[in-house]
Amino acid sequence: MRRRTKIALGLVATAAMLSFVAQFFVRPSVVFGDSMSPTLEQWDICLLQRVRHYEPRRDEIVMFRTSDDPPLYFIKRVVALPGESVTIERGVITINGTALGAPRLAPGWELEQTVLSADKILVAADNPEFGYGVVATRLVQARLLWHWRWKR
């Protein structure tokens, strides 16, 4: 009986520790939609690192929430950082006067020259049809650590 009790206590302790880690450090998520295709596809499983005070880095993939109640969650790529000047013409993103190369967005996406404030970032989908958005850094919840694709 003692051996079973020890095993049961060990399992409970392990479950409690995993729950603690999931609550404060990592967040599992499943991708719905095609906005991040081909990087992340529908039904990909993601492991996201929770962030408290987000310091943005260009090209990392982040999860952010909306201000709605209840909030909606989105996964996008960081394109421009706070303080940078951004222009989008015919789908080409220009940051501080330097174009990012080939069009990252569909030709219909436009943005007049905008300087991002100290608490804002520009995020964009990897799929050119889904566009971009300016997001407050306080709304960023997590950054992508790892993802796994179901075999189809």
Side-chain angles (χ1 to χ4, degrees):
M1 192 62 129
R2 285 186 174 180
R3 180 183 167 119
R4 287 186 183 174
T5 303
K6 287 181 183 179
I7 291 173
L9 287 174
L11 290 174
V12 168
T14 301
M17 184 176 67
L18 289 174
S19 175
F20 176 80
V21 168
Q23 180 69 29
F24 295 103
F25 300 109
V26 296
R27 175 185 180 141
S29 183
V30 174
V31 175
F32 296 104
D34 297 321
S35 71
M36 288 301 292
S37 178
T39 307
L40 299 174
E41 298 285 346
Q42 175 104 350
W43 302 110
D44 281 2
I45 297 172
C46 298
L47 188 61
L48 301 149
Q49 175 189 9
R50 289 183 181 268
V51 293
R52 296 283 184 230
H53 303 287
Y54 178 65
E55 295 196 22
R57 291 183 274 189
R58 189 179 327 280
D59 288 329
E60 75 180 343
I61 296 173
V62 296
M63 173 191 277
F64 60 93
R65 67 177 178 81
T66 62
S67 299
D68 301 332
D69 188 24
L72 300 172
Y73 292 88
F74 295 94
I75 296 177
K76 300 287 181 252
R77 184 176 302 279
V78 176
V79 178
L81 304 174
E84 293 184 326
S85 173
V86 181
T87 306
I88 302 174
E89 294 178 4
R90 294 183 305 275
V92 176
I93 301 171
T94 303
I95 300 173
N96 296 331
T98 305
L100 293 182
R104 298 257 326 235
L105 302 169
W109 293 104
E110 303 281 330
L111 177 68
E112 292 181 14
Q113 183 174 7
T114 303
V115 176
L116 298 173
S117 63
D119 64 338
K120 303 273 197 251
I121 57 174
L122 180 80
V123 296
D126 283 357
N127 183 334
E129 299 299 318
F130 283 85
Y132 68 91
V134 176
V135 176
T137 55
R138 67 180 172 75
L139 297 177
V140 175
Q141 303 290 297
R143 64 173 47 112
L144 182 69
L145 287 176
W146 172 86
H147 77 279
W148 181 70
R149 182 161 297 148
W150 289 95
K151 292 185 181 179
R152 296 177 196 214

